[in-house]
Amino acid sequence: MSGYAVASREDDPVHTVRTIARIAQMLIELRDEYVARPRPDILSQIEQRLDDLLAQREDLRQRIANSARSEE
């Protein structure tokens, strides 16, 4: 067993939450890389991951709203 529960629906927020966690892990790795060797390209990658997080926030908001509607 992989340790992950299978989501019950495709629009289940768990998919978005997992993606957010992967992006957060990438940011931690980029931070460590930047601290070790500060380079402008790493800063650009950090900025891109932050943009990705903002997109995931919007996706999560939609999934929360869809989930609330389906429970009514």
Side-chain angles (χ1 to χ4, degrees):
M1 188 165 199
S2 68
Y4 290 106
V6 176
S8 58
R9 298 183 327 264
E10 184 59 34
D11 65 339
D12 192 317
V14 76
H15 297 291
T16 304
V17 171
R18 287 180 180 164
T19 301
I20 290 168
R22 285 192 298 270
I23 295 169
Q25 183 60 45
M26 284 188 252
L27 280 167
I28 291 168
E29 291 168 5
L30 286 167
R31 176 209 56 198
D32 293 345
E33 188 176 342
Y34 185 77
V35 168
R37 279 186 33 176
R39 296 189 338 248
D41 63 309
I42 298 172
L43 290 178
S44 294
Q45 290 178 53
I46 290 170
E47 184 178 31
Q48 178 59 51
R49 297 295 77 78
L50 291 172
D51 289 343
D52 294 344
L53 276 177
L54 287 174
Q56 291 303 310
R57 179 176 66 178
E58 291 306 313
D59 187 48
L60 184 61
R61 285 179 176 166
Q62 279 190 302
R63 289 176 188 255
I64 289 168
N66 292 343
S67 180
R69 273 188 242 123
S70 68
E71 290 178 5
E72 292 176 351

